[in-house]
Amino acid sequence: MSNVRCNESPPAATTSLATKDADADTGPSIAPVQQPPVQSSNKGTPCRINGVKGYQNRTNSIIYCPPLLRGSNTPKDRCSAIVYFGGDVQDIPEKMESNRDNKNYIKWNLENTALLLRESFPQSHIVVVRPMRMEYSTFSCFDNFVRGNNAGIPDHTPMHFSLQHLEDNIFDASGTDTAEPDLAELLWWRENLNLDKASLKLIGFSKGCVVLNQFIYEFHYYKTLTPDDSTMMRLVSRISDMYWLDGGHGGGKNTWITSRSLLETLCRLCINVHVHVTPYQIQDDHRPWIRKEEKAFTDLLKRLGAAFDRHLDGIEGEIEDDEDVPMMAAAAAVTAMETGEDQGDNSMQHDN
């Protein structure tokens, strides 16, 4: 794709304000992470921001990556942000390296993923949301965004305040205490980021798609069940695109939204919907419901006239024999988005 070398493990961080793992943090902290250089500036490398408080003291750790291209003439009210929710196994490098099985996938760690996304969206701020917990160091659990069991298999509800948490946790400048001088210095990027007006692109990969599905439930709640409450709709109106990248999880259902009423609400919001799938998920005969649900999801969106495109990203070889295929799917999907920022609404089309 570029000069981002995702086949190498990133070096250890050289500076850190955090001495504990993100899962145990009691307050926000930041650690810049050194990566293969894309820019000469140290401010171009990803930063870990740990323990950021959101809705009712829910906390998440995020990885932030500033834009690759920062035009001095770009108005603050036209900035954009990418928010990514990853799949099982994906975590920070040292956590993946310490696990006997997961270290095989370390090149797809969340920090390298942030850099891949920045290559695809060079003018956008990149926010990678780390799961609240990694059960058995493997199963991504986004409990702050969607209720689920101990393996992160979702139990969707009409309201889990996930959109409120998204706004408070990531897009509310008051969510991180900048009173400490060192912390304020590391948050240099907030100076040119008007979070209240940024357009948003939400991306879920594999297990991370359960968060996007929960957002759809809450779109419906706010739009139809509480139509007089416009508070959260201001956030929703800033979401321009949503990407489902090879959605899948270990449950036997609810991988894709198939409710007509929920998808009608999504279509009324005029959000551009992008679907990238691979044979790993939709051609797995051991999990036939994924194929059926994805077909129902895409067919309904077509019939409802959504701004929608679907891509089948093929992977050569016998997928069940290749241990790297799940992460290859992510790379294929991200690569396919490389021209994402150059495309306008008129670029939307149906299946390739």
Side-chain angles (χ1 to χ4, degrees):
M1 284 179 55
S2 66
N3 57 349
V4 178
R5 300 176 349 207
C6 288
N7 60 334
E8 296 183 13
S9 303
T14 57
T15 304
S16 177
L17 298 182
T19 58
K20 298 178 291 184
D21 179 67
D23 297 330
D25 282 346
T26 57
S29 60
I30 294 183
V33 179
Q34 299 223 344
Q35 293 280 1
V38 176
Q39 293 178 287
S40 59
S41 170
N42 290 333
K43 294 179 180 180
T45 58
C47 285
R48 298 179 192 175
I49 309 178
N50 298 329
V52 183
K53 291 184 179 180
Y55 177 74
Q56 290 191 349
N57 291 323
R58 300 177 189 177
T59 61
N60 271 96
S61 297
I62 65 175
I63 296 167
Y64 169 78
C65 204
L68 187 62
L69 304 176
R70 299 195 293 271
S72 58
N73 296 325
T74 303
K76 288 185 179 181
D77 59 359
R78 294 187 59 187
C79 72
S80 63
I82 310 298
V83 184
Y84 174 87
F85 302 90
D88 286 341
V89 178
Q90 281 191 299
D91 202 353
I92 55 178
E94 61 268 29
K95 288 292 185 180
M96 295 180 68
E97 182 65 39
S98 66
N99 183 279
R100 181 191 61 187
D101 298 317
N102 297 347
K103 65 182 180 181
N104 295 321
Y105 308 105
I106 192 169
K107 61 186 175 182
W108 308 116
N109 68 72
L110 293 179
E111 289 161 4
N112 277 341
T113 298
L115 290 175
L116 283 171
L117 289 167
R118 186 170 68 170
E119 289 295 316
S120 296
F121 301 96
Q123 299 180 47
S124 295
H125 299 263
I126 307 300
V127 177
V128 173
V129 180
R130 193 179 173 198
M132 193 189 86
R133 58 189 172 91
M134 294 290 290
E135 196 71 21
Y136 303 111
S137 301
T138 297
F139 300 112
S140 297
C141 300
F142 294 95
D143 304 281
N144 287 338
F145 291 94
V146 56
R147 190 169 65 186
N149 66 9
N150 64 343
I153 296 170
D155 178 15
H156 293 292
T157 58
M159 176 52 61
H160 190 63
F161 299 99
S162 62
L163 287 167
Q164 182 72 58
H165 181 58
L166 176 71
E167 183 174 56
D168 293 349
N169 182 235
I170 299 171
F171 297 109
D172 185 350
S174 65
T176 302
D177 181 7
T178 59
E180 301 176 34
D182 292 340
L183 190 58
E185 175 64 22
L186 288 171
L187 286 175
W188 61 272
W189 45 273
R190 288 197 187 277
E191 297 174 2
N192 296 312
L193 181 60
N194 190 335
L195 297 171
D196 292 335
K197 296 183 179 180
S199 65
L200 309 177
K201 292 180 173 67
L202 309 180
I203 300 176
F205 164 62
S206 193
K207 173 72 76 60
C209 291
V210 303
V211 180
L212 272 58
N213 292 346
Q214 179 62 34
F215 288 158
I216 293 181
Y217 276 86
E218 298 191 14
F219 292 162
H220 188 71
Y221 182 93
Y222 286 118
K223 194 73 173 176
T224 64
L225 301 180
T226 57
D228 296 329
D229 183 2
S230 61
T231 305
M232 289 312 301
M233 291 310 298
R234 288 195 293 270
L235 169 68
V236 175
S237 67
R238 289 158 41 208
I239 301 172
S240 64
D241 297 78
M242 297 177 72
Y243 291 80
W244 277 260
L245 308 185
D246 223 25
H249 57 73
K253 60 179 181 178
N254 295 332
T255 302
W256 297 84
I257 299 293
T258 58
S259 164
R260 183 183 182 93
S261 61
L262 294 180
L263 294 182
E264 283 176 341
T265 298
L266 175 63
C267 291
R268 286 198 295 269
L269 296 173
C270 299
I271 294 173
N272 298 322
V273 175
H274 312 267
V275 173
H276 291 256
V277 291
T278 70
Y280 178 78
Q281 298 286 7
I282 64 168
Q283 294 180 15
D284 185 351
D285 292 334
H286 298 291
R287 299 178 296 164
W289 64 88
I290 295 180
R291 176 170 58 251
K292 294 177 182 178
E293 290 182 355
E294 189 271 331
K295 187 177 187 303
F297 177 82
T298 54
D299 286 351
L300 266 173
L301 288 175
K302 290 177 187 177
R303 290 201 297 270
L304 293 170
F308 166 81
D309 62 63
R310 178 184 184 273
H311 306 267
L312 175 60
D313 300 307
I315 297 176
E316 300 294 334
E318 296 294 327
I319 61 173
E320 62 269 22
D321 295 332
D322 191 337
E323 67 174 8
D324 215 23
V325 160
M327 300 307 178
M328 287 169 63
V334 170
T335 300
M337 295 190 296
E338 282 215 357
T339 57
E341 284 192 323
D342 297 326
Q343 296 177 353
D345 292 344
N346 294 332
S347 69
M348 304 298 291
Q349 56 187 357
H350 293 309
D351 296 30
N352 286 352

